Structure formats: C-alpha cells, structure tokens
Amino acid sequence: MKVITVFNQKGGVGKTTTNINLCSYLAMEGYKVLSIDIDPQGNTTSGLGFDKRKIKTSIYDVITDDTSIEEAMVKCEFVDNFYIVPSTMSLAGAEVEIIDKVNREKILREKIKDIEGKFDFVFIDCPPSLGFLTINALTASNSVLIPIQCEFYALEGVGQLVNTIQLVKKSLNPNIDIEGVVLSMFDSRTNLSNEVVSEVKKYFKNKVYSTTIPRNIRLAESPSFGLPIMLYDNKCKGAEAYEKLAKEFLERQEK
Ligand code: ATP
Ligand code: MG
C-alpha cells in the first residue's frame, strides 16, 4: 500500500482535479484506491458527487476523535474499487480542538496504520496551506505528488514547498520522497506554458511527468456534475491526459 499526498500550498493549481481523476483511472484499472479529503473546502468530496450537508462522519471525526478511517469512508457511487473519506467545513476548526494533544502531527499516520494492506493506493488531497492538516498528510505519506499550474508565477513558492518536505523528512517522516510533478492547465498555444514547462523541468528534472494536463473546459465542468472526467466526457482532451498520466504513474511504480 502506498500513501501519496497531493500537495502545493498554492491555491487553484489542480490538486483536487488531479486527485479525483488520477484516483478514478487507477480504480478503473482495478487498483483498490482510497482518497482522503483533508481540505476543509471539501472539493474532492463534492467533486465526486457527495452532498457535504448530508455527511455524518468525516475526516474531521477521524482527526479529532476515536473514529477510524473505515468508519468514515464511503464508496464512490460510480467507480468500483474507489472509496473516499469525505471532508466538511468543520475540519477548519480541528487544529484548535486538538491543540494540546501530544503527537498531533502523527494522528493521520496512526489512523492509516489500521487500513494497512486494504488498499493499493491512498491519496490525500490537501488544502492550499502549510498548516497542521498538510503536516499530518505529509507525515502519513510515502510520497508527494506536486501539481504545478503553467502560469507566470508557477515556481513561486516552490522553494518553500520543497523546504517543507525536507523539514518533514528530517523531523517526522524520514522516508518521504517526491512522487512526481504534474504540469496542469497547459496551453500549447502560449510561449508562457512552454517556458514554465522547461523551468519546472530544470528544477525537478526527471520527477516531472512527460504527460502534461491541458487547460480543458470539460475538466472544469465535471465537478459540478459530481463526476470524474472519464464518466463526464471520456473523449475530451482532459480525459485523455489523465488516463495517460495514470499509465505513466503506474509505469513508474514498477521501476
Ligand atoms: P485549492 O488549492 O483551492 O484546493 P486545487 O489546487 O485543488 O485548488 P483545483 O480545484 O483542482 O485546484 O482546480 C482549480 C480550478 O481550476 C477548479 O475550478 C478546476 O475545475 C479548474 N481546473 C483544474 N484543472 C483544470 C484544467 N486542466 N483545465 C481547466 N480547468 C481546470
Ligand atoms: Mg483542492
């Protein structure tokens, strides 16, 4: 079982879109996949068709209470082999509630131990911040998948991101590594997109996937229907790209 955090502290770079669609393709390939939504915005939760107002047990209970991951997880209705631990706004208050708990960076890691071997991949979708929830995710993970948006300030904050991973590696989780870097919202018509790609490759070298995710309106629409792209429009460019990314991701696992 491999645990992967999807993280970039920059907002709106494609973390959730990558999480939802990569997980869906891996599940469709027959891998058993769990996605833990650890973002109070709950975009993975709603993007997979769950009504946040109706959720009774969520990652909030897992973090602040005795609730296990298995108690909080629900099956994704439309994709076999795909489960999620949903999130709601209440998660925003979790940090304050457990402020005096010892080992509070390790809560998620401890909870994940209980599901060891039950999944092939566990993906954790993070909020756009370097706070306590993200630290919990990084501490619980084998690796970090970093989406980077092809835009002017793409590399801004990347130093801090890598620093954070290094800090976690030193103090909380010596085994963590960078899984890969996904370039998202690529627009082949602009020089800027191409420049960003080469800058990011200079920085992350072979960690960068050769598959880039194009800017594609269907990818932006699908969450409002609560569907992964393969079920919303499996012929669009965005679907093709995420399917290809899933293949590349799997090829790397074999190495
Ligand atoms: P946050 O930091 O708020 O959690 P995020 O990094 O998870 O954001 P997403 O929610 O995946 O980013 O994407 C931000 C917005 O851009 C969303 O509205 C999403 O639908 C849209 N989007 C993501 N990827 C693409 C794409 N390749 N083409 C077009 N729109 C996209
Ligand atoms: Mg998100």
Side-chain angles (χ1 to χ4, degrees), residues 8-19 39 41 43 125-129 147 149 184-186 213-223 238 242:
N8 185 338
Q9 79 272 25
K10 227 175 185 186
V13 297
K15 293 182 286 295
T16 300
T17 306
T18 299
N19 175 56
D39 181 355
Q41 298 180 99
N43 293 339
D125 187 24
C126 281
S129 70
Q149 185 181 344
S184 75
M185 298 182 231
F186 180 80
I213 309 300
R215 188 173 280 286
N216 177 243
I217 187 75
R218 308 299 270 169
L219 282 172
E221 288 167 359
S222 58
Y242 275 111

Side-chain angles (χ1 to χ4, degrees), residues 139-159:
T139 304
S141 294
N142 300 105
S143 63
V144 193
L145 182 64
I146 307 170
I148 293 182
Q149 185 181 344
C150 298
E151 46 136 29
F152 187 60
Y153 294 112
L155 277 170
E156 193 188 65
V158 161

Side-chain angles (χ1 to χ4, degrees), residues 18-197:
T18 299
N19 175 56
I20 289 178
N21 293 305
L22 184 55
C23 285
S24 302
Y25 277 110
L26 293 174
M28 195 185 69
E29 282 293 309
Y31 293 93
K32 232 182 149 195
V33 183
L34 174 69
S35 177
I36 300 175
D37 191 353
I38 201 168
D39 181 355
Q41 298 180 99
N43 293 339
T44 282
T45 304
S46 53
L48 286 166
F50 294 96
D51 183 347
K52 284 184 275 184
R53 291 164 304 182
K54 291 187 184 148
I55 288 162
K56 297 222 168 59
T57 312
S58 70
I59 187 68
Y60 167 80
D61 304 287
V62 175
I63 297 286
T64 61
D65 190 26
D66 289 337
T67 307
S68 70
I69 286 184
E70 276 186 289
E71 283 165 330
M73 79 189 188
V74 279
K75 194 192 165 296
C76 181
E77 201 183 330
F78 313 107
V79 189
D80 284 343
N81 306 315
F82 188 12
Y83 292 77
I84 87 159
V85 175
S87 172
T88 63
M89 271 309 290
S90 55
L91 184 61
E95 179 167 14
V96 185
E97 287 180 44
I98 58 149
I99 201 123
D100 49 10
K101 214 167 173 172
V102 283
N103 285 332
R104 58 200 188 99
E105 303 83 9
K106 297 178 184 160
I107 297 171
L108 189 61
R109 173 156 84 193
E110 288 306 311
K111 298 278 176 141
I112 285 179
K113 278 185 186 158
D114 298 336
I115 55 162
E116 181 59 56
K118 296 202 167 141
F119 291 92
D120 297 303
F121 298 108
V122 177
F123 282 79
I124 309 172
D125 187 24
C126 281
S129 70
L130 286 170
F132 141 89
L133 295 168
T134 296
I135 299 299
N136 254 277
L138 293 173
T139 304
S141 294
N142 300 105
S143 63
V144 193
L145 182 64
I146 307 170
I148 293 182
Q149 185 181 344
C150 298
E151 46 136 29
F152 187 60
Y153 294 112
L155 277 170
E156 193 188 65
V158 161
Q160 200 187 6
L161 192 167
V162 170
N163 245 346
T164 305
I165 298 171
Q166 289 309 328
L167 275 175
V168 169
K169 198 176 171 88
K170 247 188 226 157
S171 57
L172 293 160
N173 181 5
N175 301 319
I176 195 164
D177 207 352
I178 292 177
E179 177 73 36
V181 174
V182 188
L183 289 154
S184 75
M185 298 182 231
F186 180 80
D187 185 345
S188 59
R189 294 165 305 180
T190 67
N191 288 333
L192 178 63
S193 269
N194 289 304
E195 279 164 28
V196 170
V197 171

